[in-house]
């Protein structure tokens, strides 16, 4: 999930590759990751997720930490994508491809024109604008920060003046 939060497709695919090389079944990967995102979503939306989730206090803290970095819209989009590709994987000759495509779509909603993906992108832009107004930066300073962030591989918005 940390790779998804940072839009790190390479990292997400590498982790998937590691899991599959250790013998994890692709369909089980989908099911486990959907369950994980559900837990993060419940931590995002419920006041007391520990009453709903049957997880250890340490696990719930990890989910809460991830919930602070993802919106409910992004999590719902991820669950939707993973569920869709879980179904597709069942009929594919190479189900691993479905898992890779799902991770790419989840990391990069810009590759999808689905309403959930567009909502996830809008949430991201709204957060960027909140940060912009909170910091009270002028446009030139903000663009310079984003350019520097982009050079370090963590930025995906392109600003043109």
């Amino acid at each position: 999930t940390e790779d998804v939060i940072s839009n790190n497709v390479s990292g997400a695919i590498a982790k998937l590759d590691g899991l599959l090389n250790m013998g994890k079944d692709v369909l089980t990967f989908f099911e486990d990751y959907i369950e994980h995102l559900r837990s993060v979503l419940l931590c995002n939306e419920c006041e007391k997720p520990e009453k709903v989730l049957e997880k250890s206090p340490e696990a719930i803290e990890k989910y809460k930490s991830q919930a602070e970095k993802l919106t409910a819209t992004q999590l719902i989009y991820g669950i939707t994508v993973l569920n869709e590709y879980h179904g597709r994987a069942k009929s594919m000759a190479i189900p691993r491809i479905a898992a890779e495509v799902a991770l790419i779509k989840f990391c990069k909603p810009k590759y999808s024109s689905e309403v959930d993906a567009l909502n996830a992108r809008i949430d991201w832009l709204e957060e960027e604008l909140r940060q912009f107004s909170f910091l009270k930066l002028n446009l030139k300073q903000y663009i310079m920060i984003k350019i520097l962030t982009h050079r370090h591989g963590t930025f995906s918005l392109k600003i043109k003046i």
Side-chain angles (χ1 to χ4, degrees):
T1 303
E2 295 301 324
D3 290 316
V4 171
I5 291 168
S6 62
N7 299 320
N8 181 0
V9 173
S10 298
I13 298 294
K15 286 190 177 126
L16 171 66
D17 187 52
L19 289 171
L20 298 180
N21 286 338
M22 289 184 343
K24 186 162 193 116
D25 177 64
V26 173
L27 297 178
T28 303
F29 160 77
F30 277 111
E31 293 156 8
D32 291 349
Y33 199 29
I34 290 168
E35 175 62 29
H36 175 81
L37 293 179
R38 172 193 170 266
S39 298
V40 176
L41 178 63
L42 291 175
C43 285
N44 193 315
E45 296 299 308
C46 296
E47 281 187 36
K48 297 189 181 203
E50 55 278 353
K51 293 192 177 201
V52 180
L53 298 171
E54 296 177 10
K55 307 286 183 184
S56 70
E58 296 82 21
I60 290 176
E61 284 307 311
K62 182 178 178 182
Y63 297 140
K64 285 180 179 180
S65 172
Q66 292 177 350
E68 292 173 1
K69 300 171 190 165
L70 292 166
T71 66
T73 303
Q74 291 168 317
L75 291 162
I76 291 167
Y77 171 67
I79 291 168
T80 303
V81 167
L82 290 166
N83 190 51
E84 174 188 345
Y85 281 87
H86 176 262
R88 289 182 183 191
K90 292 176 183 178
S91 63
M92 291 181 75
I94 307 171
R96 170 193 199 111
I97 294 170
E100 292 168 345
V101 172
L103 286 174
I104 291 167
K105 283 183 79 170
F106 188 25
C107 286
K108 304 275 186 174
K110 69 182 181 180
Y111 295 133
S112 177
S113 60
E114 297 165 15
V115 173
D116 286 340
L118 295 174
N119 285 333
R121 292 172 69 189
I122 289 168
D123 277 359
W124 182 84
L125 287 171
E126 286 174 343
E127 180 58 29
E128 289 294 307
L129 288 173
R130 267 193 293 280
Q131 290 177 13
F132 176 72
S133 62
F134 174 74
L135 295 173
K136 305 271 191 247
L137 299 173
N138 68 41
L139 187 57
K140 185 176 179 181
Q141 291 170 320
Y142 182 74
I143 291 169
M144 286 304 298
I145 289 169
K146 288 303 175 184
I147 289 170
L148 292 172
T149 308
H150 175 66
R151 289 184 183 150
H152 296 296
T154 59
F155 178 69
S156 62
L157 179 67
K158 294 179 180 135
I159 300 173
K160 293 183 182 178
I161 297 181

